[in-house]
Amino acid sequence: MPDAASCFYVTNEKGEAAAKTYTVLDVEAVPVEETGKTDDDCIKSFILDRAPQIIETDVAIAGGGMGGVAAALALGPETRAIVTEETSWLGGQLSAQGVCALDENKYIETTGACHNYLQFRQAIRKAYRDTGNLTEAAAADPLLNPGACWVTRLAFEPQVALPLLDAMLAPLTKSGALTIKKRTKVVDVALEEGSAKIKALLAVDLDNGIFSEIHCASVIDATELGDLMPLAKVPYSTGSDSRWVTGEAFAPESPDAENVQDFTYPFVLDYYDGENHTIEKPSDYEAFLSAGKFSFDSYKMFREHDDDSTG
C-alpha cells in the first residue's frame, strides 16, 4: 500500500512547493512575572517547507484537557486514537490550569456520575491518605476534601492529579491504541472535497518545530477554546445567546458576545489564630472596593460547608 499523500504540502508537476508559515501562541511561554521575557517570546512561527510525517489513526483528539482525556478513555482499546496537547501536562483544569477545585453539584458522590470520574476522585483521596500526613479524622473521612474548598466537594494540588491521569491512560498507551503528543498544537485542517468533514489535521511540535499530519476517520475538538472551528470554517458564536435563539426562559433578551467566563485564580488560605498578616492596601484597592464587584460576604471562610451549600 503506497504512502498517503500530504494534504498540506503539495507540489506541482516540477516538484515545487510553496513553503507556508504558521504563527501560533505558545501558552507555556507566556510571561507571568518579571523574567526578562516579553510577550514576543510566546509568539512562535514555524515554516512548513517539507512533507510532514503522516500518521494514520481512527480518531484524532485535539486537546488533552479533561474533555480530551475523557474522550480517549471512552474510545477504549479497540479504537486507534491520538491526542495532541499544547502544554506539557494532560488534564487541563485538573492540572496544567491550576484550577483543581472541581465544579460540580453537591450530590456528585451520591446520585450518579460516570464511573471513570468517580474512580479518579477516589484515587485523589487515596493519594493524600498514602502520604501519611493527614489527621486520623481526615484520613478516615470517605469524602475527604484535601483543599477544604467551599466551591467543590474535592479540591487538591495539581501535581497530585497529573500522575493519576497518566495512570488511567497507561493501559491504552502501552497497548498502542492511544498515542499522546504533548507540546503539540493543531495549526491547520484539511476537509474532504465538497464537504465540511475534516479528513486530516496538521500539528506542530512547539519545541522542535517538526510537523505531523494526522489522517483520521473522526475528529474530536477537545481544545479549551474550540480551536478547530475557525480552522475548519465552522460557524460559531461567542458569549451568551439570547433567549430567542436558545428558547431558555432565563437567557438574556439580547445576545452579548463579550459575556464569557471570567478568569479564575484559585488561592490557598490559612488561618493563624491571634496573628495579623494584613498587607498595605494596593494602589487600586479603593477603586475595586467601590465598584462592588467582589466580596467574600456570602462565604463563611475557614468553616466546613454545610449540607445545604451549593458549592
Side-chain angles (χ1 to χ4, degrees), residues 1 9 14 38 64 69 74 82 113 143 146 150-151 167-169 171 184 187 205 218 229 238 242-243 261 293 296 308:
M1 182 176 182
Y9 185 80
K14 297 180 180 180
T38 67
V69 171
I82 184 169
L143 299 182
W150 46 257
V151 78
M168 291 177 72
L169 294 171
T184 299
V187 294
D205 186 303
S218 300
M229 289 192 290
T238 61
S242 76
R243 68 183 60 174
Q261 170 70 41
K293 291 185 176 182
F296 282 122
D308 293 325

Side-chain angles (χ1 to χ4, degrees), residues 61-73:
I61 304 170
M66 292 180 69
V69 171
L73 290 170

Side-chain angles (χ1 to χ4, degrees), residues 19-42:
K20 187 172 182 180
T21 300
Y22 294 92
T23 301
V24 300
L25 171 69
D26 182 354
V27 295
E28 287 195 337
V30 175
V32 294
E33 55 187 16
E34 295 297 329
T35 60
K37 292 185 176 182
T38 67
D39 290 341
D40 291 337
D41 293 308
C42 61

